Each structure stands twice: as structure tokens, then as C-alpha cells.
Amino acid sequence: MLNILLRGCNGRMGRAVSAICEGRSDTVIAAGLDTAPGRHFAYPVYALPAEFRGKADAAIDFSRPEGIEAFLDYCVRRRLPLALATTGFDAEAQTRIEAASRHIPVFQSGNMSLGVNLLTDLVRRAVSVLGEEYDVEIIERHHNQKLDAPSGTAYMLFGAASEALPYDPEPCYHRHQRRVPRPAREIGMHAVRGGTVVGEHEGILAGRAEVITL
């Protein structure tokens, strides 16, 4: 039996992970961590990782960037492999994550969907074939409660396109701040927020007389 410590258990994705584990015979949520009130499942919920002293074999983080340093320290101390699905980390937090990965296994992704990871690969392959003659734009849409913008998935697509280009592109978030033609070496990053949209992502490659949308 695999015992999971779930950070962000009361959030939208935390509840989804809990429901998945509840239907399995080989995995159980040993405890949840969340600063939000409420408990939706049978396992205990703690505000701080240090409050949990039970058995855990691995940790899953579907929460917010705040508090990641303390959680990383806890996972390193307890030698817990970590699946990290939280997005919106700044450069300092990302450095801490990479440092922790030298001591424990860390699987980090801006999106855990198989389809999105396939999309990321397709964007990389398309850009590598079409080259710098095509302008790349990324559009993502999410519900009106999402805090970070652009999304972690949008940054995954940006990273995939960047890897395939012979130069380091600049992300462009605010074209309204300037009145100039589009520079060649940039990638537009566009975030739409509204309603209950779970998540939609597009990679657009616009060339001479044709546009390819993934």
C-alpha cells in the first residue's frame, strides 16, 4: 500500500486526486495539508507539514507557491519522493526545488495531463521543423478563480518552443504598451480568464500565407 501525503488537499485538484485514490486498492491518502478550512475526505488534514508524524511513502503537491520552502525541507528530511504539480514559482523558489531534487526524487510538471504533455512535444517538433520563419504565439484560457497568469502549462509550451529555436526568445505579455511591428524573436503569451473554463491551451505557428494551430 502506497501512503500519500497530499498538499493542497482542499483545492480543486487536491479533491480530484483524493477521489482517484479513494477508488484504488493500492494507494491511500495518509494525510492532507491545507491552510484552507474544511475536510472533504476521511483522512486527517493539517495546516503545517510538521504536524503530521504518520507514515508516508511519497508526497503530491497541488497547491500554491507560498510555503513551498518549508514543504521541500520536510520532504527532504523524511526522504519523501515528491510529485510537484503546483505552478507560479519565482526564480528563487525554483532554485530551491532544484536543490531539493539533489536529495530526493522530484517530478515537476506544469501540467500532469497526458494530452498536454503530448501537445508540448508536438509544439517542440513543429517549431523544430518550421524554424524561425514562423511566429509563435501561445494562448491559454482558465476559470476566473485561477491566480497565476500565464499558466504553468503556457510556460511549458513556451519552453518547448524555445528549445527548438536557434535563439532564446523573449516572452511578450503586454503588446498594448508599445506601437511597433512584432519583433521576430519573441513569443506572445496570452492569458484569458472567465467562467468555469477548466483549461484550454493553443500553440499558434504563423508563417507566410499559412497558420498552424495546435
Side-chain angles (χ1 to χ4, degrees):
M1 180 71 70
L2 186 66
N3 293 276
I4 300 295
L5 178 61
L6 177 59
R7 182 171 181 253
C9 60
N10 288 337
R12 184 186 304 239
M13 289 307 302
R15 295 197 299 272
V17 171
S18 295
I20 291 171
C21 292
E22 197 173 53
R24 297 179 63 97
S25 60
D26 59 349
T27 306
V28 64
I29 305 296
L33 299 172
D34 210 305
T35 56
R39 191 175 77 185
H40 303 279
F41 294 89
Y43 55 75
V45 178
Y46 304 94
L48 300 173
E51 295 174 344
F52 174 64
R53 298 181 176 85
K55 174 180 171 54
D57 303 303
I60 297 175
D61 191 319
F62 262 111
S63 59
R64 297 182 181 180
E66 296 81 13
I68 187 61
E69 293 84 359
F71 190 55
L72 287 171
D73 291 344
Y74 178 84
C75 290
V76 169
R77 284 198 307 271
R78 297 202 54 176
R79 298 295 182 184
L80 295 179
L82 172 62
L84 183 56
T86 300
T87 59
F89 296 114
D90 59 22
E92 182 179 353
Q94 188 60 45
T95 298
R96 293 287 296 272
I97 294 166
E98 292 167 6
S101 72
R102 293 193 285 270
H103 303 281
I104 59 172
V106 176
F107 176 67
Q108 182 183 19
S109 177
N111 194 300
M112 294 294 180
S113 161
L114 178 60
V116 165
N117 281 274
L118 174 60
L119 172 63
T120 302
D121 184 57
L122 292 174
V123 167
R124 182 185 298 106
R125 291 165 59 187
V127 173
S128 68
V129 171
L130 299 175
E132 53 188 307
E133 296 302 317
Y134 283 67
D135 297 324
V136 180
E137 299 283 301
I138 295 168
I139 302 174
E140 57 95 350
R141 303 173 182 85
H142 279 89
H143 54 84
N144 57 22
Q145 298 302 301
K146 186 169 178 60
L147 299 181
D148 55 322
S151 66
T153 302
Y155 281 113
M156 283 177 60
L157 298 178
F158 175 86
S162 301
E163 291 171 9
L165 289 168
Y167 56 85
D168 293 327
E170 289 290 330
C172 178
Y173 308 101
H174 306 295
R175 287 208 178 98
H176 68 278
Q177 295 180 348
R178 66 191 189 199
R179 292 179 58 83
V180 296
R182 183 192 193 279
R185 297 191 171 190
E186 74 175 25
I187 293 179
M189 303 283 283
H190 311 284
V192 178
R193 295 290 176 268
T196 58
V197 180
V198 174
E200 299 176 0
H201 303 84
E202 294 180 24
I204 299 173
L205 294 88
R208 185 178 179 83
E210 68 177 2
V211 176
I212 298 171
T213 300
L214 300 170

